[in-house]
């Protein structure tokens, strides 16, 4: 059962508060830098009680592997992986002849691929779903791990030989079935504990498979089905193609399968890390789809004041939200459109009429700057148009004239333009405002007399202005019609 953020019902929670048991998404959790002596990284606090919250674990956040089969198949198709798969296949085809040296080279090539697959598994298990880069670190670091896997396969083979020799055919078949069934569990144990003795311990690998439950058996079926495909392919290829080419294609198939199956095992570790007891650190957790699954509303997470206010608002504590903004305003002024917008909204909710009227021109200026037409018109009509004392910028008034007229509110548009002309008579925008005003009268209000009168005022006051020529032309047009 996925737990969702208490404020975002569609976003899986990443954090759980041990005190109030509320779950939060990354948007809602409060982040604080850790004290230097407590190591690097950040603290994650419950926004309700400021207690340190616990990471909820990957299972809640990631998609189960059976829901992302196409992505699993696509994993080996990254540039890095394709290059390595092709290179190893090509080299294996060249050294496909008999002889000890050739066999040793093939073994080494297989070892390189296995090491890369192993690195993919480890990265996936940490939540990093990109294929690892091909570099010295990926290929050679911890190469001993590959030997451990070889020893594991060798031990399983030895077991088969011993059982077949001492107990006969059917026990040997039974042994193979059990060994193959639990091989993924053994590899998972080998990777998560790094110890061969754990990997071959039946108590451990059987209980691991049981803890993962039916997800384990689903993975197993998937691996068996996938694994048989390259084997069948190889069987037919060798019958119809030249040996070198057939071994190249067969090697491509088996390399692809190896990488895919290791990635899948890594993903199963990630998905069930809590059941397995494998600790995935939130700091290391890089899950590219986590953000992709986030949908719906997005707050500007970069602004701590806005976050805090948004949180109080969601909790219905409007007075506290307003308090945060008032304090911020008194200390250093409100910063950015978001804060100003929230402040206005809260003032409206709390019916703080006086404060709202003071704040409206400030917000309006920012809305005009941001080009938010509809909201700007609304704020203007609600709190500025009817308040002659509101200090309004000429640029804002001209913009309001244009936008309100576009919205079909010609009367209010003219009101804004008149206000510009009257309260800023010397402003360079006045001729433009007069011209616009005349056009609104002429075109939208069908009042050519009024339009002509305004244009004459424009001509008289600004005879040398660029608009004069246009105004004269316009007056002629009106006379003709
Ligand atoms: Zn809490
Ligand atoms: Zn949330």
């Amino acid at each position: 059962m996925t737990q969702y953020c208490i404020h975002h019902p569609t976003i899986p929670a990443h954090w759980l508060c041990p005190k109030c048991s509320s779950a939060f998404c990354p948007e809602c959790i409060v982040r604080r830098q850790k004290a230097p002596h407590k190591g690097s990284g950040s603290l994650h606090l419950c926004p309700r009680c400021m207690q340190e919250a616990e990471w909820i674990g990957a299972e809640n956040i990631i998609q189960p592997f059976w829901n992302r089969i196409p992505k699993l198949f696509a994993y080996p198709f990254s540039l890095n992986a394709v290059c390595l798969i092709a290179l190893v296949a090509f080299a294996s085809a060249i050294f496909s002849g008999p002889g000890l040296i050739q066999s040793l080279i093939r073994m080494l090539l297989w070892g390189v691929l296995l090491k890369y697959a192993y690195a993919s598994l480890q990265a996936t298990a940490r939540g990093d779903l990109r294929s690892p880069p091909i570099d010295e670190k990926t290929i050679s670091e911890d190469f001993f791990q590959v030997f451990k896997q070889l020893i594991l396969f060798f031990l399983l083979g030895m077991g088969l030989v011993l059982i077949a020799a001492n107990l006969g055919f059917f026990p040997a078949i039974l042994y193979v079935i059990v060994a193959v069934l639990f091989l993924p569990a053994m590899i998972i144990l080998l990777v998560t504990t790094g110890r061969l003795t754990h990997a071959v311990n039946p108590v451990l690998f059987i209980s691991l498979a049981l803890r993962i439950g039916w997800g384990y058996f689903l993975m197993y079926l998937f691996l068996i089905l996938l694994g048989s495909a390259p084997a069948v392919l190889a069987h037919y290829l060798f019958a119809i193609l030249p040996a070198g080419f057939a071994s190249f294609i067969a090697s491509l198939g088996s390399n692809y399968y190896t990488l895919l199956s290791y990635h899948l095992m890594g993903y199963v570790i990630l998905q069930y890390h809590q059941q397995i007891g494998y600790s995935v650190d939130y700091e290391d957790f890089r899950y590219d789809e986590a953000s992709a699954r986030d949908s719906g509303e997005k707050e500007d997470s970069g602004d701590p004041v806005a976050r805090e206010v948004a949180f109080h608002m969601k909790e219905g504590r409007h007075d506290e939200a307003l308090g945060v903004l008032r304090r911020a305003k008194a200390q250093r002024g409100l910063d950015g459109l978001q804060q100003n917008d929230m402040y206005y909204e809260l003032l409206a909710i709390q019916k703080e009429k006086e404060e709202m009227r003071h704040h409206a021109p400030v917000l309006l200026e920012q809305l005009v700057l941001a080009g938010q037409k509809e909201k700007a018109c609304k704020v203007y009509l609600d709190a500025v148009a009817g308040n002659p004392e509101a200090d309004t910028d000429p640029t804002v008034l001209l913009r309001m004239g244009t936008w309100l007229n576009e919205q079909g509110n010609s009367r209010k548009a003219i009101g804004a333009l008149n206000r510009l002309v009257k309260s800023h008579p010397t402003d360079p925008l006045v001729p433009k405002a007069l011209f616009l005003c005349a056009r609104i009268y002429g075109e939208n209000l069908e009042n050519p007399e009024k339009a002509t009168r305004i244009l004459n005022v424009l001509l008289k006051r600004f005879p040398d202005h660029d608009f004069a020529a246009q105004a004269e032309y316009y007056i002629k047009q009106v006379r003709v019609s």
Side-chain angles (χ1 to χ4, degrees), residues 148-327:
K148 283 190 185 166
Q149 284 181 67
L150 292 180
I151 296 168
L152 176 67
F153 295 139
F154 177 75
L155 287 176
L156 290 173
M158 286 293 289
L160 178 64
V161 171
L162 283 175
I163 288 175
N166 295 316
L167 301 172
F169 182 69
F170 284 107
I173 291 290
L174 196 68
Y175 170 81
V176 169
I177 291 171
V178 173
V180 172
L181 177 60
F182 290 106
L183 184 60
M186 294 179 211
I187 293 178
I188 288 173
L189 273 171
L190 191 59
V191 173
T192 52
T193 65
R195 293 168 73 170
L196 202 55
T197 46
H198 286 182
V200 295
N201 183 341
V203 177
L204 293 178
F205 64 70
I206 293 174
S207 74
L208 179 96
L210 292 177
R211 263 179 286 151
I212 296 178
W214 70 274
Y216 181 85
F217 295 95
L218 196 63
M219 167 187 74
Y220 166 76
L221 278 179
F222 200 71
L223 288 174
I224 289 286
L225 285 175
L226 281 175
S228 49
V232 172
L233 181 76
H235 181 76
Y236 284 104
L237 284 175
F238 279 100
I240 54 170
L241 290 176
F245 191 57
S247 79
F248 173 67
I249 302 286
S251 172
L252 274 186
S254 84
N255 293 348
Y256 173 81
Y257 168 74
T258 306
L259 205 52
L260 175 58
S261 55
Y262 273 67
H263 173 60
L264 174 61
M265 285 189 279
Y267 199 87
V268 167
I269 297 178
L270 176 66
Q271 187 178 335
Y272 295 99
H273 72 94
Q274 277 155 332
Q275 288 90 323
I276 297 174
Y278 179 67
S279 84
V280 177
D281 238 351
Y282 188 77
E283 304 291 337
D284 298 332
F285 183 69
R286 299 270 174 279
Y287 185 62
D288 53 350
E289 285 158 334
S291 50
R293 280 182 84 188
D294 290 0
S295 56
E297 39 183 317
K298 266 256 174 288
E299 247 89 43
D300 180 5
S301 49
D303 181 351
V305 173
R307 276 172 87 88
E308 199 180 343
V309 172
F311 181 75
H312 287 309
M313 282 171 84
K314 281 180 210 137
E315 298 267 304
R317 296 191 297 254
H318 296 129
D319 48 343
E320 268 173 68
L322 190 54
V324 172
L325 284 169
R326 278 182 176 144
R327 277 194 297 281

Side-chain angles (χ1 to χ4, degrees), residues 115 118 142-150 190-191 194:
K115 179 64 197 26
Y118 173 79
D142 223 3
F143 201 77
F144 191 62
Q145 278 296 338
V146 172
F147 288 108
K148 283 190 185 166
Q149 284 181 67
L150 292 180
L190 191 59
V191 173

Side-chain angles (χ1 to χ4, degrees), residues 16-22 24 45-51 53:
L16 208 57
C17 173
K19 197 175 166 200
C20 69
S21 316
S22 308
F24 298 99
L45 306 174
C46 167
R48 280 192 169 157
C49 30
M50 293 319 251
Q51 284 276 318

